[in-house]
Amino acid sequence: MSTLVQNPAPEFSAKAVDGGKFRQVTLSEFKGKYVVLFFYPLDFTFVCPTEITAFSDKADEFAKRNCQVLGVSVDSHYTHLAWTNVPREQGGLGEIKYPLIADLTKSIARDYGVLIEGAGIALRGLFLIDKAGVVRHQLINDLPLGRSVDEAIRMLDALQFFETNGEVCPANWKPGSATIKPDPEGSKKYFEQCTK
């Protein structure tokens, strides 16, 4: 499996459930926005609804950062709709504030390198795509390991900080904490502060 980081995000067009309705979604319609594209294995499972609803609960945080969240699985748009019609307290999703994309042909998961070919389902892949359509971050978890939505927001913040300021973000960086000037002289200030 190769990385997509620093490469154009593979384009796709597929049916999705968005706001309780079916529509065709393409990646290119979000050009000029950041995109967090995440894959999950299957509808009506156990870890997946915790991630899908957690992303939905933070949809406003992503929107404030000019970022569109997109969820993808190999299920049909009909199955996505059925799952959103089941209340959360019964293991369903309820209302979701971003499109859930149907990848019935498995081509999107394959193009992003997360398809488990024999099982025909996707690993828990997450891709941060910049405004120009380039993948800037990817994370792939095995099936039983849920992702952190807060970490996805932190990575988006770090990318946007770098793009705005030209300074790089060290380990565990959060907005408001120290950054590093990416040159031998400029970086000394950061490292001097860290050793005190």
Side-chain angles (χ1 to χ4, degrees):
M1 181 183 311
S2 61
T3 182
L4 289 174
V5 172
Q6 296 188 338
N7 292 298
E11 178 59 65
F12 59 80
S13 180
K15 285 272 195 203
V17 171
D18 190 8
K21 296 183 167 69
F22 297 142
R23 77 174 185 94
Q24 198 75 13
V25 170
T26 61
L27 180 61
S28 57
E29 77 185 75
F30 303 106
K31 234 1 171 315
K33 292 183 102 168
Y34 297 89
V35 173
V36 167
L37 176 70
F38 76 95
F39 293 82
Y40 63 94
L42 288 169
D43 290 346
F44 291 98
T45 53
F46 312 107
V47 175
C48 297
T50 67
E51 294 184 311
I52 295 164
T53 58
F55 275 107
S56 186
D57 291 346
K58 297 273 180 123
D60 292 342
E61 289 298 314
F62 287 99
K64 280 195 290 195
R65 293 161 170 84
N66 189 32
C67 182
Q68 176 65 54
V69 175
L70 300 171
V72 184
S73 83
V74 298
D75 302 280
S76 74
H77 50 292
Y78 299 107
T79 308
H80 290 340
L81 180 63
W83 205 16
T84 63
N85 287 329
V86 177
R88 286 187 183 190
E89 60 271 14
Q90 294 175 16
L93 301 178
E95 179 188 359
I96 297 300
K97 298 178 183 171
Y98 57 85
L100 289 179
I101 298 167
D103 184 20
L104 277 174
T105 65
K106 302 171 180 53
S107 62
I108 306 171
R110 189 174 288 114
D111 288 348
Y112 280 80
V114 296
L115 183 66
I116 304 171
E117 288 288 349
I121 58 174
L123 293 165
R124 295 184 193 285
L126 183 143
F127 300 84
L128 173 56
I129 302 166
D130 71 14
K131 294 184 292 185
V134 175
V135 177
R136 302 299 296 273
H137 165 71
Q138 76 179 49
L139 173 75
I140 301 173
N141 287 3
D142 201 355
L143 302 177
L145 307 174
R147 290 159 286 202
S148 168
V149 174
D150 290 336
E151 176 64 6
I153 291 171
R154 188 187 79 83
M155 292 304 298
L156 177 58
D157 285 341
L159 174 58
Q160 292 179 343
F161 184 89
F162 168 73
E163 289 177 339
T164 301
N165 300 288
E167 295 188 11
V168 295
C169 302
N172 301 316
W173 177 87
K174 290 190 171 129
S177 51
T179 55
I180 304 170
K181 291 190 187 308
D183 65 71
E185 276 307 306
S187 64
K188 286 181 183 174
K189 182 178 177 188
Y190 172 82
F191 292 110
E192 286 168 0
Q193 290 174 346
C194 288
T195 57
K196 291 181 182 178

Short mmCIF file of all heavy atoms in Angstrom, two decimals, residues 162-193:
data_model
loop_
_atom_site.label_atom_id
_atom_site.label_comp_id
_atom_site.label_asym_id
_atom_site.label_seq_id
_atom_site.Cartn_x
_atom_site.Cartn_y
_atom_site.Cartn_z
N PHE A 162 0.11 26.19 9.25
CA PHE A 162 1.30 26.16 8.39
C PHE A 162 1.06 26.98 7.12
O PHE A 162 1.91 27.78 6.71
CB PHE A 162 1.69 24.73 8.04
CG PHE A 162 2.70 24.65 6.94
CD1 PHE A 162 4.02 25.01 7.17
CD2 PHE A 162 2.33 24.28 5.66
CE1 PHE A 162 4.96 24.97 6.14
CE2 PHE A 162 3.25 24.23 4.63
CZ PHE A 162 4.57 24.58 4.87
N GLU A 163 -0.08 26.77 6.48
CA GLU A 163 -0.36 27.49 5.23
C GLU A 163 -0.42 29.00 5.44
O GLU A 163 0.00 29.76 4.58
CB GLU A 163 -1.69 27.00 4.63
CG GLU A 163 -1.61 25.60 4.08
CD GLU A 163 -2.94 25.09 3.57
OE1 GLU A 163 -4.00 25.63 3.97
OE2 GLU A 163 -2.93 24.14 2.78
N THR A 164 -0.92 29.42 6.60
CA THR A 164 -1.07 30.85 6.88
C THR A 164 0.23 31.48 7.34
O THR A 164 0.56 32.61 6.96
CB THR A 164 -2.15 31.07 7.96
OG1 THR A 164 -3.38 30.51 7.48
CG2 THR A 164 -2.35 32.53 8.27
N ASN A 165 1.01 30.76 8.16
CA ASN A 165 2.17 31.34 8.83
C ASN A 165 3.52 30.83 8.36
O ASN A 165 4.55 31.42 8.69
CB ASN A 165 2.06 31.11 10.35
CG ASN A 165 0.81 31.74 10.91
OD1 ASN A 165 0.72 32.95 11.02
ND2 ASN A 165 -0.18 30.92 11.24
N GLY A 166 3.55 29.70 7.66
CA GLY A 166 4.81 29.16 7.18
C GLY A 166 5.64 28.48 8.25
O GLY A 166 6.75 28.04 7.98
N GLU A 167 5.11 28.40 9.47
CA GLU A 167 5.82 27.70 10.55
C GLU A 167 5.24 26.31 10.71
O GLU A 167 4.05 26.09 10.47
CB GLU A 167 5.71 28.50 11.86
CG GLU A 167 6.41 29.84 11.77
CD GLU A 167 6.48 30.58 13.10
OE1 GLU A 167 6.18 29.99 14.14
OE2 GLU A 167 6.86 31.77 13.06
N VAL A 168 6.07 25.36 11.11
CA VAL A 168 5.66 23.97 11.22
C VAL A 168 5.23 23.65 12.65
O VAL A 168 5.65 24.31 13.60
CB VAL A 168 6.77 23.02 10.73
CG1 VAL A 168 7.02 23.22 9.24
CG2 VAL A 168 8.07 23.20 11.50
N CYS A 169 4.40 22.64 12.77
CA CYS A 169 3.77 22.30 14.05
C CYS A 169 4.41 21.04 14.63
O CYS A 169 4.35 19.97 14.01
CB CYS A 169 2.28 22.10 13.85
SG CYS A 169 1.46 23.56 13.17
N PRO A 170 5.00 21.14 15.82
CA PRO A 170 5.67 19.99 16.43
C PRO A 170 4.68 18.96 16.99
O PRO A 170 3.47 19.16 16.94
CB PRO A 170 6.48 20.64 17.56
CG PRO A 170 5.69 21.84 17.94
CD PRO A 170 5.08 22.34 16.66
N ALA A 171 5.23 17.90 17.54
CA ALA A 171 4.41 16.85 18.14
C ALA A 171 3.47 17.44 19.19
O ALA A 171 3.85 18.34 19.94
CB ALA A 171 5.32 15.80 18.80
N ASN A 172 2.26 16.95 19.20
CA ASN A 172 1.23 17.34 20.17
C ASN A 172 0.84 18.81 20.10
O ASN A 172 0.24 19.34 21.03
CB ASN A 172 1.65 16.97 21.59
CG ASN A 172 1.88 15.48 21.72
OD1 ASN A 172 1.10 14.68 21.22
ND2 ASN A 172 2.97 15.10 22.35
N TRP A 173 1.18 19.49 18.99
CA TRP A 173 0.82 20.89 18.82
C TRP A 173 -0.68 21.08 18.89
O TRP A 173 -1.45 20.25 18.41
CB TRP A 173 1.34 21.40 17.47
CG TRP A 173 0.94 22.81 17.20
CD1 TRP A 173 1.60 23.94 17.57
CD2 TRP A 173 -0.22 23.27 16.49
NE1 TRP A 173 0.93 25.06 17.14
CE2 TRP A 173 -0.20 24.67 16.48
CE3 TRP A 173 -1.28 22.62 15.88
CZ2 TRP A 173 -1.18 25.44 15.87
CZ3 TRP A 173 -2.27 23.37 15.27
CH2 TRP A 173 -2.21 24.77 15.27
N LYS A 174 -1.08 22.18 19.52
CA LYS A 174 -2.48 22.60 19.53
C LYS A 174 -2.49 24.09 19.24
O LYS A 174 -1.50 24.79 19.50
CB LYS A 174 -3.11 22.33 20.90
CG LYS A 174 -3.31 20.86 21.16
CD LYS A 174 -4.14 20.62 22.38
CE LYS A 174 -4.49 19.16 22.44
NZ LYS A 174 -4.22 18.51 23.64
N PRO A 175 -3.60 24.63 18.71
CA PRO A 175 -3.66 26.07 18.45
C PRO A 175 -3.28 26.87 19.70
O PRO A 175 -3.72 26.58 20.80
CB PRO A 175 -5.13 26.30 18.07
CG PRO A 175 -5.56 25.00 17.48
CD PRO A 175 -4.83 23.95 18.29
N GLY A 176 -2.40 27.84 19.48
CA GLY A 176 -1.94 28.68 20.59
C GLY A 176 -0.61 28.24 21.17
O GLY A 176 0.03 28.99 21.90
N SER A 177 -0.17 27.02 20.87
CA SER A 177 1.11 26.57 21.39
C SER A 177 2.23 26.90 20.40
O SER A 177 1.98 27.31 19.27
CB SER A 177 1.08 25.09 21.75
OG SER A 177 0.60 24.30 20.72
N ALA A 178 3.46 26.73 20.87
CA ALA A 178 4.63 27.14 20.09
C ALA A 178 4.77 26.34 18.80
O ALA A 178 4.45 25.15 18.74
CB ALA A 178 5.89 26.99 20.94
N THR A 179 5.28 27.02 17.77
CA THR A 179 5.57 26.39 16.49
C THR A 179 7.05 26.59 16.17
O THR A 179 7.78 27.23 16.95
CB THR A 179 4.69 27.00 15.37
OG1 THR A 179 4.88 28.41 15.37
CG2 THR A 179 3.23 26.69 15.59
N ILE A 180 7.49 26.05 15.05
CA ILE A 180 8.90 26.07 14.71
C ILE A 180 9.10 26.76 13.36
O ILE A 180 8.42 26.45 12.38
CB ILE A 180 9.45 24.62 14.60
CG1 ILE A 180 9.20 23.86 15.91
CG2 ILE A 180 10.94 24.64 14.26
CD1 ILE A 180 9.50 22.37 15.81
N LYS A 181 10.05 27.70 13.32
CA LYS A 181 10.46 28.27 12.03
C LYS A 181 11.29 27.19 11.33
O LYS A 181 12.25 26.68 11.90
CB LYS A 181 11.29 29.53 12.25
CG LYS A 181 10.50 30.69 12.80
CD LYS A 181 11.31 31.97 12.76
CE LYS A 181 10.64 33.13 13.44
NZ LYS A 181 9.29 33.42 13.05
N PRO A 182 10.93 26.82 10.09
CA PRO A 182 11.59 25.70 9.43
C PRO A 182 12.94 26.05 8.81
O PRO A 182 13.16 25.88 7.61
CB PRO A 182 10.57 25.26 8.38
CG PRO A 182 9.83 26.50 8.05
CD PRO A 182 9.80 27.32 9.30
N ASP A 183 13.86 26.55 9.63
CA ASP A 183 15.23 26.77 9.18
C ASP A 183 16.14 26.59 10.39
O ASP A 183 15.69 26.70 11.54
CB ASP A 183 15.40 28.16 8.54
CG ASP A 183 15.20 29.30 9.52
OD1 ASP A 183 16.06 29.49 10.40
OD2 ASP A 183 14.18 30.00 9.40
N PRO A 184 17.43 26.27 10.18
CA PRO A 184 18.32 25.95 11.29
C PRO A 184 18.41 27.05 12.36
O PRO A 184 18.39 26.75 13.55
CB PRO A 184 19.68 25.72 10.62
CG PRO A 184 19.35 25.31 9.23
CD PRO A 184 18.09 26.06 8.89
N GLU A 185 18.49 28.30 11.95
CA GLU A 185 18.59 29.38 12.92
C GLU A 185 17.26 29.65 13.61
O GLU A 185 17.18 29.76 14.82
CB GLU A 185 19.11 30.67 12.25
CG GLU A 185 20.61 30.75 12.13
CD GLU A 185 21.35 30.53 13.45
OE1 GLU A 185 21.05 31.23 14.45
OE2 GLU A 185 22.22 29.65 13.47
N GLY A 186 16.20 29.76 12.80
CA GLY A 186 14.88 30.08 13.34
C GLY A 186 14.35 29.02 14.29
O GLY A 186 13.62 29.33 15.23
N SER A 187 14.70 27.77 14.06
CA SER A 187 14.18 26.68 14.89
C SER A 187 14.79 26.69 16.29
O SER A 187 14.21 26.14 17.22
CB SER A 187 14.44 25.34 14.23
OG SER A 187 15.83 25.09 14.12
N LYS A 188 15.96 27.34 16.45
CA LYS A 188 16.63 27.33 17.75
C LYS A 188 15.76 27.93 18.85
O LYS A 188 15.77 27.46 19.98
CB LYS A 188 17.96 28.07 17.68
CG LYS A 188 19.03 27.30 16.94
CD LYS A 188 20.33 28.07 16.91
CE LYS A 188 21.36 27.32 16.11
NZ LYS A 188 22.60 28.09 15.93
N LYS A 189 14.99 28.96 18.51
CA LYS A 189 14.14 29.60 19.51
C LYS A 189 13.16 28.60 20.12
O LYS A 189 12.98 28.55 21.33
CB LYS A 189 13.37 30.77 18.87
CG LYS A 189 12.49 31.53 19.83
CD LYS A 189 11.80 32.69 19.15
CE LYS A 189 10.87 33.39 20.13
NZ LYS A 189 10.03 34.40 19.51
N TYR A 190 12.55 27.77 19.27
CA TYR A 190 11.62 26.76 19.76
C TYR A 190 12.33 25.76 20.67
O TYR A 190 11.87 25.47 21.78
CB TYR A 190 10.95 26.01 18.61
CG TYR A 190 10.13 24.84 19.07
CD1 TYR A 190 8.84 25.02 19.54
CD2 TYR A 190 10.64 23.54 19.08
CE1 TYR A 190 8.09 23.96 20.00
CE2 TYR A 190 9.91 22.46 19.54
CZ TYR A 190 8.62 22.67 19.99
OH TYR A 190 7.89 21.61 20.45
N PHE A 191 13.49 25.26 20.22
CA PHE A 191 14.18 24.23 20.98
C PHE A 191 14.77 24.78 22.28
O PHE A 191 14.82 24.08 23.28
CB PHE A 191 15.24 23.53 20.12
CG PHE A 191 14.62 22.72 19.01
CD1 PHE A 191 14.74 23.12 17.69
CD2 PHE A 191 13.89 21.58 19.30
CE1 PHE A 191 14.14 22.38 16.67
CE2 PHE A 191 13.29 20.83 18.30
CZ PHE A 191 13.42 21.25 16.98
N GLU A 192 15.16 26.04 22.28
CA GLU A 192 15.63 26.67 23.52
C GLU A 192 14.49 26.75 24.53
O GLU A 192 14.70 26.51 25.73
CB GLU A 192 16.19 28.05 23.23
CG GLU A 192 17.54 28.05 22.55
CD GLU A 192 17.95 29.42 22.01
OE1 GLU A 192 17.18 30.40 22.16
OE2 GLU A 192 19.05 29.50 21.40
N GLN A 193 13.30 27.08 24.09
CA GLN A 193 12.14 27.17 24.98
C GLN A 193 11.77 25.80 25.54
O GLN A 193 11.37 25.69 26.69
CB GLN A 193 10.91 27.74 24.24
CG GLN A 193 11.03 29.20 23.90
CD GLN A 193 9.84 29.65 23.04
OE1 GLN A 193 9.10 28.84 22.50
NE2 GLN A 193 9.67 30.96 22.94
#
